[in-house]
Amino acid sequence: MNEAIHFKTSMFDVSKEKENPINPIYGLSLLEWLRAKLEGKIAITEPDAEDWGWFSELEYEGNNYLIGACAFFETGNDPTSEIEWVFQVHKFRSLKEKLLGQNKMTVSDNCFQFFKELFAQEPGIIEVEVA
């Protein structure tokens, strides 16, 4: 199961993002910002396009995760205004873990909580909510 964090910010100018070749959805700038902000702390792979936005992968406390981002922005909107974002966290689990119902992704997962707190503490990010 994916868990998601919703927030608003005007920190990123999504109109300057590289085009998503699969679907015209924005979100690359958030993942690039995270890679730079967490450099030397958490290794995050270079973002790649997906039909629902952009994703990267990382390892956190011995578990592997996929993080994803998408912004609710359409061409013609003001790219400097507050844009609504969805940030997803998905935990990869082994077949054994899935069969035994172990190591499930929840909102109390340490990786999820790490990103929730990171966004909540960033002055330019507002209305951080879990959904």
Side-chain angles (χ1 to χ4, degrees):
M1 173 181 224
N2 297 341
E3 297 296 345
I5 302 167
H6 296 249
F7 59 87
K8 292 182 180 179
T9 188
S10 59
M11 290 173 51
F12 313 109
D13 184 349
V14 295
S15 67
K16 295 180 181 177
E17 288 186 6
K18 174 175 71 172
E19 184 178 335
N20 183 323
I22 301 169
N23 202 355
I25 297 177
Y26 301 90
L28 175 64
S29 54
L30 173 60
L31 295 177
E32 288 177 333
W33 175 77
L34 283 171
R35 284 185 79 212
K37 184 169 184 72
L38 298 173
E39 187 174 4
K41 298 174 188 163
I42 298 175
I44 299 175
T45 64
E46 187 165 332
D48 202 0
E50 180 55 82
D51 63 349
W52 45 259
W54 293 84
F55 75 94
S56 291
E57 295 180 5
L58 61 99
E59 182 181 331
Y60 189 87
E61 295 182 350
N63 290 296
N64 294 311
Y65 294 87
L66 177 141
I67 54 174
C70 67
F72 293 104
F73 178 83
E74 294 183 16
T75 304
N77 290 356
D78 179 3
T80 62
S81 67
E82 285 179 354
I83 297 171
E84 184 177 345
W85 289 80
V86 177
F87 180 81
Q88 298 180 52
V89 180
H90 171 80
K91 182 189 283 185
F92 292 111
R93 299 187 302 152
S94 69
L95 178 58
K96 181 181 176 182
E97 288 173 325
K98 290 177 184 178
L99 290 173
L100 297 176
Q102 298 171 332
N103 205 19
K104 291 182 179 181
M105 181 67 203
T106 66
V107 295
S108 62
D109 183 271
N110 287 345
C111 181
F112 184 84
Q113 287 297 315
F114 172 81
F115 284 107
K116 180 181 174 236
E117 290 302 314
L118 181 92
F119 296 139
Q121 293 174 8
E122 186 64 38
I125 295 178
I126 61 170
E127 299 180 29
V128 177
E129 299 176 0
V130 174

